[in-house]
Amino acid sequence: MKQRPAMTRFLDAGDVAALVRGEGVRQAIVQVAACVREDFLRWQAFEKSARLASHSPVGVIELMPVSDGAQFAFKYVNGHPRNAQYALPTVMACGMLADVNTGFPLLLADLTLATALRTAATSALAAQAMARPGARTMALIGNGAQAEFQSLAFHAMAGVTTIRAYDIDPGATARLMRNLANVRGLAIVPVRSVSEALSGADIVTTVTADKTRATILTPDMVQPGMHLNAVGGDCPGKTELHVDILRRARIVVEYAPQSRIEGEIQQWPEAPVSELWEVLSDAAPGRVGDDEVTVFDSVGFALEDYAALRWLHATALARNAGRAVELVAMPPDPRDLYGWMMAADPLDPPAATALSRPMPSEAMTS
């Protein structure tokens, strides 16, 4: 009889934060980016679908599944722009990595922080292939929770040395400057308008939160050769770029069937696009000339969360982080679930005792 799997490894938000601090934020972004690249280069191995979304007037709740036939991953994530009034993050997420052969859940983890890491890592990966060589200045429009991660990713991976930062809330820009004050070789320059932010910029990242068809950038603001990293438009009815910018640009998306519903190209559903896996594998160009305007229409795709989850799992194993939990019932006789239930001591339920047990070595293979 084959060995039964170990218990599920659980990483709460504090565990994930400790892992990232332990690796270093910049290094963690670079490591996640390497996982994202590896998985996009295995594009054909994955069973893919657009995410399942439940929309409301105030936000969205989504499930994002993907599998490569060996492991299955999904993420639960929300997007609620008004959450600040409740002292809650705009985006909150958790996810699971499971073994396809048995269906056993290997990892359950907070993904709020990992979502920020993988979003920034994917943005910088795209910019490596799409921005002009020698790009050093980035305009950052929207200085919310994603701002530090985008700044560090572009500094570490794309050579950006100056961030021209704008937000309608000056306090958000001040926080960004304070948090990154000690990053060597990176200057955060506060500006007073979108147009001032774009002055002299090689790359423009838009990462605003409002769930509306906004026009953050207009064609007259966009100069030849700019690379636009459009992150904020990520659900139906939520955009940041004027449609005429798209009509004049080379556009790259993560997964076209999803992006045509949720991304900037929802404004132009028949837009000709390349997918990121094609650009990373050199099957399609990221840019063909120094004066070409390029757009990475980023909405976030489940494959990036798969990469983030496998990075979390591997890093947690290496650092023996998190704890073992009996997430699913594991009776000695799998056919006698009722007998297992009735035999359990109600004062000492299995889920409670699991937390005090030492972490076993994971016996599952993927």
PDB file of all heavy atoms in Angstrom, residues 105-138:
ATOM      1  N   PRO A 105      -4.788  18.227  -0.888  1.00  0.00           N
ATOM      2  CA  PRO A 105      -4.310  19.611  -0.834  1.00  0.00           C
ATOM      3  C   PRO A 105      -2.937  19.701  -0.168  1.00  0.00           C
ATOM      4  O   PRO A 105      -2.801  19.417   1.020  1.00  0.00           O
ATOM      5  CB  PRO A 105      -5.382  20.329  -0.014  1.00  0.00           C
ATOM      6  CG  PRO A 105      -5.993  19.259   0.837  1.00  0.00           C
ATOM      7  CD  PRO A 105      -5.916  17.987   0.045  1.00  0.00           C
ATOM      8  N   LEU A 106      -1.937  20.087  -0.928  1.00  0.00           N
ATOM      9  CA  LEU A 106      -0.575  20.192  -0.411  1.00  0.00           C
ATOM     10  C   LEU A 106      -0.348  21.465   0.386  1.00  0.00           C
ATOM     11  O   LEU A 106       0.378  21.474   1.375  1.00  0.00           O
ATOM     12  CB  LEU A 106       0.423  20.156  -1.572  1.00  0.00           C
ATOM     13  CG  LEU A 106       0.391  18.933  -2.476  1.00  0.00           C
ATOM     14  CD1 LEU A 106       1.277  19.166  -3.696  1.00  0.00           C
ATOM     15  CD2 LEU A 106       0.836  17.700  -1.711  1.00  0.00           C
ATOM     16  N   LEU A 107      -0.966  22.558  -0.088  1.00  0.00           N
ATOM     17  CA  LEU A 107      -0.693  23.875   0.495  1.00  0.00           C
ATOM     18  C   LEU A 107      -1.968  24.695   0.512  1.00  0.00           C
ATOM     19  O   LEU A 107      -2.704  24.736  -0.481  1.00  0.00           O
ATOM     20  CB  LEU A 107       0.365  24.608  -0.326  1.00  0.00           C
ATOM     21  CG  LEU A 107       0.677  26.051   0.086  1.00  0.00           C
ATOM     22  CD1 LEU A 107       1.441  26.084   1.412  1.00  0.00           C
ATOM     23  CD2 LEU A 107       1.493  26.766  -0.993  1.00  0.00           C
ATOM     24  N   LEU A 108      -2.225  25.339   1.633  1.00  0.00           N
ATOM     25  CA  LEU A 108      -3.263  26.359   1.760  1.00  0.00           C
ATOM     26  C   LEU A 108      -2.570  27.604   2.276  1.00  0.00           C
ATOM     27  O   LEU A 108      -1.889  27.542   3.301  1.00  0.00           O
ATOM     28  CB  LEU A 108      -4.361  25.915   2.721  1.00  0.00           C
ATOM     29  CG  LEU A 108      -5.471  26.924   3.006  1.00  0.00           C
ATOM     30  CD1 LEU A 108      -6.282  27.215   1.747  1.00  0.00           C
ATOM     31  CD2 LEU A 108      -6.387  26.427   4.129  1.00  0.00           C
ATOM     32  N   ALA A 109      -2.728  28.730   1.568  1.00  0.00           N
ATOM     33  CA  ALA A 109      -1.935  29.905   1.934  1.00  0.00           C
ATOM     34  C   ALA A 109      -2.671  31.205   1.663  1.00  0.00           C
ATOM     35  O   ALA A 109      -3.496  31.291   0.740  1.00  0.00           O
ATOM     36  CB  ALA A 109      -0.613  29.902   1.152  1.00  0.00           C
ATOM     37  N   ASP A 110      -2.352  32.206   2.478  1.00  0.00           N
ATOM     38  CA  ASP A 110      -2.720  33.571   2.134  1.00  0.00           C
ATOM     39  C   ASP A 110      -2.025  33.938   0.830  1.00  0.00           C
ATOM     40  O   ASP A 110      -0.836  33.625   0.633  1.00  0.00           O
ATOM     41  CB  ASP A 110      -2.275  34.536   3.229  1.00  0.00           C
ATOM     42  CG  ASP A 110      -2.414  35.984   2.783  1.00  0.00           C
ATOM     43  OD1 ASP A 110      -3.541  36.490   2.760  1.00  0.00           O
ATOM     44  OD2 ASP A 110      -1.375  36.584   2.413  1.00  0.00           O
ATOM     45  N   LEU A 111      -2.750  34.591  -0.075  1.00  0.00           N
ATOM     46  CA  LEU A 111      -2.145  35.021  -1.344  1.00  0.00           C
ATOM     47  C   LEU A 111      -2.245  36.532  -1.550  1.00  0.00           C
ATOM     48  O   LEU A 111      -1.956  37.003  -2.645  1.00  0.00           O
ATOM     49  CB  LEU A 111      -2.807  34.298  -2.524  1.00  0.00           C
ATOM     50  CG  LEU A 111      -2.380  32.857  -2.799  1.00  0.00           C
ATOM     51  CD1 LEU A 111      -3.017  32.345  -4.092  1.00  0.00           C
ATOM     52  CD2 LEU A 111      -0.867  32.726  -2.882  1.00  0.00           C
ATOM     53  N   THR A 112      -2.648  37.264  -0.530  1.00  0.00           N
ATOM     54  CA  THR A 112      -2.755  38.714  -0.698  1.00  0.00           C
ATOM     55  C   THR A 112      -1.388  39.308  -1.023  1.00  0.00           C
ATOM     56  O   THR A 112      -1.235  40.072  -1.992  1.00  0.00           O
ATOM     57  CB  THR A 112      -3.327  39.350   0.585  1.00  0.00           C
ATOM     58  OG1 THR A 112      -4.547  38.688   0.939  1.00  0.00           O
ATOM     59  CG2 THR A 112      -3.601  40.824   0.374  1.00  0.00           C
ATOM     60  N   LEU A 113      -0.392  38.952  -0.240  1.00  0.00           N
ATOM     61  CA  LEU A 113       0.958  39.444  -0.490  1.00  0.00           C
ATOM     62  C   LEU A 113       1.553  38.823  -1.751  1.00  0.00           C
ATOM     63  O   LEU A 113       2.167  39.505  -2.569  1.00  0.00           O
ATOM     64  CB  LEU A 113       1.846  39.141   0.723  1.00  0.00           C
ATOM     65  CG  LEU A 113       3.313  39.554   0.648  1.00  0.00           C
ATOM     66  CD1 LEU A 113       3.461  41.024   0.284  1.00  0.00           C
ATOM     67  CD2 LEU A 113       4.016  39.256   1.967  1.00  0.00           C
ATOM     68  N   ALA A 114       1.351  37.522  -1.933  1.00  0.00           N
ATOM     69  CA  ALA A 114       1.901  36.855  -3.120  1.00  0.00           C
ATOM     70  C   ALA A 114       1.280  37.384  -4.403  1.00  0.00           C
ATOM     71  O   ALA A 114       1.930  37.399  -5.453  1.00  0.00           O
ATOM     72  CB  ALA A 114       1.694  35.347  -3.007  1.00  0.00           C
ATOM     73  N   THR A 115       0.015  37.819  -4.353  1.00  0.00           N
ATOM     74  CA  THR A 115      -0.603  38.424  -5.537  1.00  0.00           C
ATOM     75  C   THR A 115       0.128  39.706  -5.921  1.00  0.00           C
ATOM     76  O   THR A 115       0.377  39.964  -7.106  1.00  0.00           O
ATOM     77  CB  THR A 115      -2.095  38.711  -5.277  1.00  0.00           C
ATOM     78  OG1 THR A 115      -2.780  37.469  -5.126  1.00  0.00           O
ATOM     79  CG2 THR A 115      -2.724  39.479  -6.430  1.00  0.00           C
ATOM     80  N   ALA A 116       0.485  40.507  -4.929  1.00  0.00           N
ATOM     81  CA  ALA A 116       1.255  41.725  -5.220  1.00  0.00           C
ATOM     82  C   ALA A 116       2.611  41.382  -5.824  1.00  0.00           C
ATOM     83  O   ALA A 116       3.062  42.021  -6.784  1.00  0.00           O
ATOM     84  CB  ALA A 116       1.422  42.547  -3.945  1.00  0.00           C
ATOM     85  N   LEU A 117       3.258  40.358  -5.276  1.00  0.00           N
ATOM     86  CA  LEU A 117       4.560  39.943  -5.800  1.00  0.00           C
ATOM     87  C   LEU A 117       4.459  39.474  -7.249  1.00  0.00           C
ATOM     88  O   LEU A 117       5.226  39.891  -8.112  1.00  0.00           O
ATOM     89  CB  LEU A 117       5.132  38.812  -4.950  1.00  0.00           C
ATOM     90  CG  LEU A 117       5.539  39.113  -3.515  1.00  0.00           C
ATOM     91  CD1 LEU A 117       5.933  37.826  -2.812  1.00  0.00           C
ATOM     92  CD2 LEU A 117       6.676  40.120  -3.455  1.00  0.00           C
ATOM     93  N   ARG A 118       3.471  38.583  -7.532  1.00  0.00           N
ATOM     94  CA  ARG A 118       3.407  38.009  -8.873  1.00  0.00           C
ATOM     95  C   ARG A 118       2.931  39.037  -9.893  1.00  0.00           C
ATOM     96  O   ARG A 118       3.323  38.997 -11.047  1.00  0.00           O
ATOM     97  CB  ARG A 118       2.587  36.730  -8.888  1.00  0.00           C
ATOM     98  CG  ARG A 118       1.094  36.812  -8.579  1.00  0.00           C
ATOM     99  CD  ARG A 118       0.265  37.297  -9.748  1.00  0.00           C
ATOM    100  NE  ARG A 118      -1.108  36.854  -9.716  1.00  0.00           N
ATOM    101  CZ  ARG A 118      -2.101  37.538 -10.254  1.00  0.00           C
ATOM    102  NH1 ARG A 118      -1.896  38.740 -10.797  1.00  0.00           N
ATOM    103  NH2 ARG A 118      -3.332  37.041 -10.228  1.00  0.00           N
ATOM    104  N   THR A 119       2.070  39.992  -9.475  1.00  0.00           N
ATOM    105  CA  THR A 119       1.623  41.038 -10.398  1.00  0.00           C
ATOM    106  C   THR A 119       2.798  41.904 -10.813  1.00  0.00           C
ATOM    107  O   THR A 119       3.003  42.188 -12.009  1.00  0.00           O
ATOM    108  CB  THR A 119       0.527  41.895  -9.749  1.00  0.00           C
ATOM    109  OG1 THR A 119      -0.580  41.064  -9.413  1.00  0.00           O
ATOM    110  CG2 THR A 119       0.062  42.989 -10.696  1.00  0.00           C
ATOM    111  N   ALA A 120       3.599  42.323  -9.842  1.00  0.00           N
ATOM    112  CA  ALA A 120       4.765  43.145 -10.148  1.00  0.00           C
ATOM    113  C   ALA A 120       5.797  42.365 -10.950  1.00  0.00           C
ATOM    114  O   ALA A 120       6.392  42.878 -11.903  1.00  0.00           O
ATOM    115  CB  ALA A 120       5.382  43.660  -8.851  1.00  0.00           C
ATOM    116  N   ALA A 121       6.011  41.102 -10.589  1.00  0.00           N
ATOM    117  CA  ALA A 121       6.984  40.274 -11.303  1.00  0.00           C
ATOM    118  C   ALA A 121       6.581  40.091 -12.763  1.00  0.00           C
ATOM    119  O   ALA A 121       7.418  40.172 -13.675  1.00  0.00           O
ATOM    120  CB  ALA A 121       7.103  38.915 -10.616  1.00  0.00           C
ATOM    121  N   THR A 122       5.295  39.856 -13.014  1.00  0.00           N
ATOM    122  CA  THR A 122       4.830  39.662 -14.383  1.00  0.00           C
ATOM    123  C   THR A 122       4.935  40.956 -15.177  1.00  0.00           C
ATOM    124  O   THR A 122       5.300  40.947 -16.362  1.00  0.00           O
ATOM    125  CB  THR A 122       3.380  39.136 -14.382  1.00  0.00           C
ATOM    126  OG1 THR A 122       3.304  37.959 -13.578  1.00  0.00           O
ATOM    127  CG2 THR A 122       2.919  38.803 -15.788  1.00  0.00           C
ATOM    128  N   SER A 123       4.622  42.091 -14.549  1.00  0.00           N
ATOM    129  CA  SER A 123       4.775  43.385 -15.206  1.00  0.00           C
ATOM    130  C   SER A 123       6.207  43.600 -15.671  1.00  0.00           C
ATOM    131  O   SER A 123       6.464  44.024 -16.807  1.00  0.00           O
ATOM    132  CB  SER A 123       4.378  44.520 -14.252  1.00  0.00           C
ATOM    133  OG  SER A 123       3.003  44.514 -13.971  1.00  0.00           O
ATOM    134  N   ALA A 124       7.154  43.314 -14.779  1.00  0.00           N
ATOM    135  CA  ALA A 124       8.559  43.527 -15.119  1.00  0.00           C
ATOM    136  C   ALA A 124       9.039  42.540 -16.175  1.00  0.00           C
ATOM    137  O   ALA A 124       9.868  42.884 -17.031  1.00  0.00           O
ATOM    138  CB  ALA A 124       9.413  43.440 -13.864  1.00  0.00           C
ATOM    139  N   LEU A 125       8.553  41.295 -16.126  1.00  0.00           N
ATOM    140  CA  LEU A 125       8.884  40.322 -17.174  1.00  0.00           C
ATOM    141  C   LEU A 125       8.456  40.834 -18.536  1.00  0.00           C
ATOM    142  O   LEU A 125       9.208  40.753 -19.520  1.00  0.00           O
ATOM    143  CB  LEU A 125       8.188  38.990 -16.901  1.00  0.00           C
ATOM    144  CG  LEU A 125       8.873  37.962 -16.025  1.00  0.00           C
ATOM    145  CD1 LEU A 125       7.954  36.753 -15.867  1.00  0.00           C
ATOM    146  CD2 LEU A 125      10.216  37.540 -16.613  1.00  0.00           C
ATOM    147  N   ALA A 126       7.232  41.343 -18.625  1.00  0.00           N
ATOM    148  CA  ALA A 126       6.738  41.876 -19.888  1.00  0.00           C
ATOM    149  C   ALA A 126       7.579  43.067 -20.337  1.00  0.00           C
ATOM    150  O   ALA A 126       7.918  43.192 -21.525  1.00  0.00           O
ATOM    151  CB  ALA A 126       5.271  42.278 -19.751  1.00  0.00           C
ATOM    152  N   ALA A 127       7.935  43.931 -19.408  1.00  0.00           N
ATOM    153  CA  ALA A 127       8.721  45.118 -19.758  1.00  0.00           C
ATOM    154  C   ALA A 127      10.108  44.756 -20.281  1.00  0.00           C
ATOM    155  O   ALA A 127      10.650  45.445 -21.156  1.00  0.00           O
ATOM    156  CB  ALA A 127       8.844  46.037 -18.552  1.00  0.00           C
ATOM    157  N   GLN A 128      10.697  43.680 -19.753  1.00  0.00           N
ATOM    158  CA  GLN A 128      11.998  43.247 -20.256  1.00  0.00           C
ATOM    159  C   GLN A 128      11.951  42.979 -21.758  1.00  0.00           C
ATOM    160  O   GLN A 128      12.924  43.219 -22.472  1.00  0.00           O
ATOM    161  CB  GLN A 128      12.458  41.989 -19.520  1.00  0.00           C
ATOM    162  CG  GLN A 128      12.912  42.222 -18.099  1.00  0.00           C
ATOM    163  CD  GLN A 128      13.296  40.933 -17.390  1.00  0.00           C
ATOM    164  OE1 GLN A 128      12.801  39.841 -17.724  1.00  0.00           O
ATOM    165  NE2 GLN A 128      14.167  41.020 -16.401  1.00  0.00           N
ATOM    166  N   ALA A 129      10.808  42.498 -22.234  1.00  0.00           N
ATOM    167  CA  ALA A 129      10.666  42.157 -23.651  1.00  0.00           C
ATOM    168  C   ALA A 129      10.055  43.278 -24.475  1.00  0.00           C
ATOM    169  O   ALA A 129      10.176  43.269 -25.703  1.00  0.00           O
ATOM    170  CB  ALA A 129       9.795  40.907 -23.792  1.00  0.00           C
ATOM    171  N   MET A 130       9.407  44.259 -23.820  1.00  0.00           N
ATOM    172  CA  MET A 130       8.617  45.229 -24.567  1.00  0.00           C
ATOM    173  C   MET A 130       9.117  46.665 -24.467  1.00  0.00           C
ATOM    174  O   MET A 130       8.884  47.462 -25.388  1.00  0.00           O
ATOM    175  CB  MET A 130       7.164  45.177 -24.086  1.00  0.00           C
ATOM    176  CG  MET A 130       6.486  43.832 -24.297  1.00  0.00           C
ATOM    177  SD  MET A 130       4.796  43.775 -23.659  1.00  0.00           S
ATOM    178  CE  MET A 130       3.972  44.858 -24.823  1.00  0.00           C
ATOM    179  N   ALA A 131       9.771  47.029 -23.372  1.00  0.00           N
ATOM    180  CA  ALA A 131      10.256  48.406 -23.223  1.00  0.00           C
ATOM    181  C   ALA A 131      11.506  48.621 -24.071  1.00  0.00           C
ATOM    182  O   ALA A 131      12.229  47.682 -24.399  1.00  0.00           O
ATOM    183  CB  ALA A 131      10.556  48.692 -21.756  1.00  0.00           C
ATOM    184  N   ARG A 132      11.757  49.876 -24.409  1.00  0.00           N
ATOM    185  CA  ARG A 132      12.978  50.194 -25.161  1.00  0.00           C
ATOM    186  C   ARG A 132      14.217  49.877 -24.340  1.00  0.00           C
ATOM    187  O   ARG A 132      14.220  50.089 -23.123  1.00  0.00           O
ATOM    188  CB  ARG A 132      13.002  51.688 -25.515  1.00  0.00           C
ATOM    189  CG  ARG A 132      12.096  52.104 -26.634  1.00  0.00           C
ATOM    190  CD  ARG A 132      12.212  53.587 -26.913  1.00  0.00           C
ATOM    191  NE  ARG A 132      11.822  54.395 -25.753  1.00  0.00           N
ATOM    192  CZ  ARG A 132      11.648  55.712 -25.789  1.00  0.00           C
ATOM    193  NH1 ARG A 132      11.828  56.365 -26.928  1.00  0.00           N
ATOM    194  NH2 ARG A 132      11.292  56.375 -24.713  1.00  0.00           N
ATOM    195  N   PRO A 133      15.249  49.384 -24.980  1.00  0.00           N
ATOM    196  CA  PRO A 133      16.516  49.186 -24.257  1.00  0.00           C
ATOM    197  C   PRO A 133      16.979  50.514 -23.650  1.00  0.00           C
ATOM    198  O   PRO A 133      16.869  51.573 -24.271  1.00  0.00           O
ATOM    199  CB  PRO A 133      17.474  48.706 -25.356  1.00  0.00           C
ATOM    200  CG  PRO A 133      16.591  48.122 -26.405  1.00  0.00           C
ATOM    201  CD  PRO A 133      15.332  48.938 -26.388  1.00  0.00           C
ATOM    202  N   GLY A 134      17.465  50.436 -22.443  1.00  0.00           N
ATOM    203  CA  GLY A 134      17.962  51.645 -21.785  1.00  0.00           C
ATOM    204  C   GLY A 134      16.903  52.451 -21.072  1.00  0.00           C
ATOM    205  O   GLY A 134      17.200  53.543 -20.561  1.00  0.00           O
ATOM    206  N   ALA A 135      15.668  51.948 -20.985  1.00  0.00           N
ATOM    207  CA  ALA A 135      14.607  52.655 -20.253  1.00  0.00           C
ATOM    208  C   ALA A 135      14.990  52.770 -18.782  1.00  0.00           C
ATOM    209  O   ALA A 135      15.323  51.772 -18.142  1.00  0.00           O
ATOM    210  CB  ALA A 135      13.288  51.919 -20.408  1.00  0.00           C
ATOM    211  N   ARG A 136      14.930  53.984 -18.248  1.00  0.00           N
ATOM    212  CA  ARG A 136      15.361  54.206 -16.867  1.00  0.00           C
ATOM    213  C   ARG A 136      14.341  54.945 -16.018  1.00  0.00           C
ATOM    214  O   ARG A 136      14.436  54.932 -14.796  1.00  0.00           O
ATOM    215  CB  ARG A 136      16.684  55.002 -16.859  1.00  0.00           C
ATOM    216  CG  ARG A 136      17.868  54.238 -17.443  1.00  0.00           C
ATOM    217  CD  ARG A 136      18.232  53.054 -16.574  1.00  0.00           C
ATOM    218  NE  ARG A 136      19.317  52.250 -17.109  1.00  0.00           N
ATOM    219  CZ  ARG A 136      19.167  51.165 -17.861  1.00  0.00           C
ATOM    220  NH1 ARG A 136      17.933  50.739 -18.140  1.00  0.00           N
ATOM    221  NH2 ARG A 136      20.197  50.502 -18.325  1.00  0.00           N
ATOM    222  N   THR A 137      13.353  55.591 -16.654  1.00  0.00           N
ATOM    223  CA  THR A 137      12.388  56.400 -15.907  1.00  0.00           C
ATOM    224  C   THR A 137      10.987  55.845 -16.106  1.00  0.00           C
ATOM    225  O   THR A 137      10.558  55.591 -17.235  1.00  0.00           O
ATOM    226  CB  THR A 137      12.425  57.865 -16.368  1.00  0.00           C
ATOM    227  OG1 THR A 137      13.739  58.389 -16.157  1.00  0.00           O
ATOM    228  CG2 THR A 137      11.429  58.706 -15.587  1.00  0.00           C
ATOM    229  N   MET A 138      10.267  55.642 -14.991  1.00  0.00           N
ATOM    230  CA  MET A 138       8.904  55.132 -15.052  1.00  0.00           C
ATOM    231  C   MET A 138       7.945  56.080 -14.354  1.00  0.00           C
ATOM    232  O   MET A 138       8.201  56.519 -13.225  1.00  0.00           O
ATOM    233  CB  MET A 138       8.810  53.749 -14.407  1.00  0.00           C
ATOM    234  CG  MET A 138       7.416  53.139 -14.487  1.00  0.00           C
ATOM    235  SD  MET A 138       7.344  51.395 -13.980  1.00  0.00           S
ATOM    236  CE  MET A 138       7.273  51.563 -12.190  1.00  0.00           C
TER     237      MET A 138
END
